[in-house]
Each structure stands twice: as structure tokens, then as C-alpha cells.
Amino acid sequence: MTDDELAELAHEVRLASQKLSRRVKDNTRTLAPHLFTVLARLEDGPSTAGELASRERVSAPAMSKSVCELEDRGLIDRIPDPADARAKIVSLSPSGKAALAAGRRERDAWMVEQLRDCTDEELRALRVAAEILDKVVSAE
Amino acid sequence: MTDDELAELAHEVRLASQKLSRRVKDNTRTLAPHLFTVLARLEDGPSTAGELASRERVSAPAMSKSVCELEDRGLIDRIPDPADARAKIVSLSPSGKAALAAGRRERDAWMVEQLRDCTDEELRALRVAAEILDKVVSAE
DNA sequence: TATTGTTATACTCTATAACTATA
DNA sequence: TATAGTTATAGAGTATAACAATA
């Protein structure tokens, strides 16, 4: 594939993905994106505010605020780190797990409706592409 | 395809697209998204602030601010509507067209780099999928 | 009266700088 | 001295309400 063809493909893939993301976002009413992604990150296991901040590439104060709000809403638990009295260990609470599942359901719901009009062949093509895209986007 | 399979596919496609969008956004330094999309919208032809606001699903004051900033930066032209003295007609300026092209180049550049590691077979699969996704997402 | 665009005001999420309490 | 988390303060971008000029 020539560089020009690659550039055109990149443009088409990017545009379709960004349109999709925007539509999903427009159809989301629950838990705000920045709080949702923190809960999703905590599925990998407990963490600290500082670690979450660097993983999400936001400032320490921004993450501190998010974590405080999530705690106020009962979506996470925070316990003192036994090894370091300055740090606190953040983990998903049962409510947080439920909120995460509900958020995913809502975010997927719009997508499901759109896919209902596709043929089985188109759906198979999308399944293959989703795998490739995920690999491409997770690289590095 | 069963409803469960459809839900799983929707989830995978959504996740891949949202990851991609986020990575593109993180690698964007020029023109902010809300200004960029206004310029892109104006490619379809001249418009008014009110029309742009409803097309972008943003409040009238928010769009007014965006349009004023774009005018200050010389990226759009505004002329009085000859048919209605309250309205002003907004259109892309030559600088605006250039900024749009530069913004697209920047946004695509990261994507091109990611695609370089793909096989030709994978690229063909993505081309097919991009077309399907665009159709799905543009529906309604 | 209704509508186009704007100003006034406030809320959310973000950032940098400064503080506290540990290490 | 350096680090984890917070508070103080400020800057984007957004919204609703109220206004001006015109329809």
C-alpha cells in the first residue's frame, strides 16, 4: 500500500472512530467520562491517587478531586497504605462495580441499536476490524 | 447473531473507537476540537451562528463565542445577511481552509504511524470496516 | 411577539503553585 | 530534601437567563 493510500485509510478510520465516539458520548447520561475511566482503571486492581493521575495523564489535584468525589458517592473505598502513612489505597466498592457495569451498558446500548441494521457479513467484518484496531491503538 | 453476541461486538467496537479517539486527541496540538469542528462544518457551505449551534448541539452563547474567536483569528469571514439584518453569514476564510487542512494532517499523522505496523490484509480489513462504521454512525 | 446574536453570570473540569504530613 | 495528597487560585469551555436589535 502506498503512503498516499495509507494516509487516506488513516483518515477514514480516524473519522469513523471519532464520529462513533462522539455519538456514544452524546448518548451518555450516567457517570461523567473522567470518573468512569477512573473506575475502569481500578478494575485492574487497587491503586493510589498519584498512580491513577499518571496513568490517566491528568494532574495530581485533578485526580485528587475525582477520587474525593467518587468516595463521596460511595463508588470507591479508600484505606491508609500500611507501608506509607502519606498514601491511601483506592479500590472499587460494590456500588462502584455496579456503576461501572451500568455505565458500560448505557454506552453500549446506542451502539447495539446502530448495529441492528447491519448484515451478518458486515458484523463479521466489524469483529475482525475491532480486534485489529484495538491492537493498533494499544501499541507502544 | 444473537443479542448477546451483538452486545459483545458493540462493546468491542465502541471500546476500540474510543481508545483511538482518545489517542488522536492526546496527539493533537493545533486548533481545539470545538473550533476545528466548526471549520469542518463550514466546508459544507456558509452558515449562521444559530444554525451552527444547533448542528453542533451546543448553546447559542457557546457558538457565539467560538465564532467570535475564529473571526479574531482570521479563520472565518462574517458578512451581514442581506435578507435579515439580525443575522450574519459565516464562511471559511483562506486561512481557515489552511488551518483545517493542517489540523487534519496532524490528526491523521498519528494514525498513519500506527497503521505502518499492519499487514496488507489487516489494512484491507480496516478499509472495509471504516466504510461500514461510517454508514452505521451516520444513520438516522 | 418571536427570533438572532450577544452579554452577564455560574458551573465543571482542568492546570500550576503552595501547603501538610510523612519518608 | 523529596514525595503523597490536598487546598488555593485561575483558565477553558459550557450552560441558562436576560438583553439588544430586528422580524
Side-chain angles (χ1 to χ4, degrees):
Chain A
M1 195 172 273
T2 69
D3 275 12
D4 276 359
E5 286 172 328
L6 200 63
E8 194 193 327
L9 176 58
H11 184 68
E12 285 165 6
V13 169
R14 174 180 72 78
L15 229 55
S17 291
Q18 291 196 305
K19 273 193 202 174
L20 197 162
S21 296
R22 180 156 191 199
R23 296 294 291 271
V24 169
K25 194 181 160 200
D26 286 349
N27 285 280
T28 297
R29 297 288 168 268
T30 54
L31 213 54
H34 69 292
L35 299 178
F36 186 80
T37 58
V38 172
L39 292 188
R41 194 62 89 172
L42 288 174
E43 269 190 323
D44 298 339
S47 188
T48 63
E51 195 174 287
L52 289 166
S54 71
R55 294 282 285 280
E56 293 299 322
R57 294 164 208 244
V58 295
S59 66
M63 184 54 72
S64 179
K65 228 182 128 192
S66 295
V67 165
C68 286
E69 181 174 348
L70 287 169
E71 189 179 29
D72 287 346
R73 292 167 67 166
L75 303 178
I76 59 167
D77 294 318
R78 260 201 298 192
I79 57 167
D81 184 340
D84 185 341
R86 295 170 305 179
K88 302 169 193 172
I89 294 172
V90 181
S91 61
L92 271 179
S93 73
S95 294
K97 282 178 193 164
L100 196 47
R104 290 214 170 101
R105 268 195 304 280
E106 185 194 37
R107 285 161 170 78
D108 288 339
W110 179 83
M111 193 69 225
V112 168
E113 284 318 303
Q114 307 312 303
L115 293 184
R116 281 199 198 288
D117 294 332
C118 288
T119 65
D120 276 9
E121 192 190 350
E122 288 175 327
L123 295 178
R124 276 192 295 275
L126 287 180
R127 181 183 299 286
V128 172
E131 209 169 310
I132 299 169
L133 267 192
D134 189 70
K135 187 193 71 176
V136 161
V137 160
S138 304
E140 164 199 6
Chain B
M1 196 172 274
T2 69
D3 274 14
D4 276 0
E5 286 171 330
L6 200 63
E8 194 192 326
L9 176 58
H11 184 68
E12 285 165 7
V13 169
R14 174 181 72 76
L15 229 55
S17 290
Q18 292 196 304
K19 272 192 202 174
L20 196 162
S21 296
R22 179 157 190 196
R23 295 295 289 272
V24 169
K25 195 181 160 201
D26 286 348
N27 286 280
T28 297
R29 297 286 168 268
T30 55
L31 212 56
H34 69 292
L35 299 177
F36 186 79
T37 58
V38 172
L39 292 188
R41 194 63 89 173
L42 288 173
E43 269 189 326
D44 298 338
S47 188
T48 62
E51 195 172 288
L52 289 167
S54 70
R55 293 284 285 280
E56 293 298 325
R57 295 166 208 243
V58 136
S59 68
M63 185 54 72
S64 178
K65 229 182 126 190
S66 295
V67 165
C68 287
E69 180 173 350
L70 287 169
E71 189 178 29
D72 287 346
R73 292 167 67 165
L75 303 178
I76 60 167
D77 294 319
R78 261 200 299 191
I79 58 168
D81 184 340
D84 185 340
R86 293 169 306 178
K88 302 168 192 172
I89 294 173
V90 181
S91 61
L92 270 180
S93 73
S95 294
K97 283 176 193 163
L100 197 47
R104 290 213 169 101
R105 268 196 304 280
E106 186 193 36
R107 285 161 171 77
D108 288 339
W110 180 84
M111 192 71 225
V112 169
E113 285 317 304
Q114 307 312 304
L115 293 183
R116 279 198 199 289
D117 294 331
C118 288
T119 65
D120 276 8
E121 192 190 348
E122 288 174 328
L123 294 177
R124 276 193 295 276
L126 287 180
R127 181 183 299 287
V128 172
E131 208 169 309
I132 299 170
L133 266 193
D134 190 68
K135 188 193 72 179
V136 161
V137 161
S138 305
E140 165 199 7

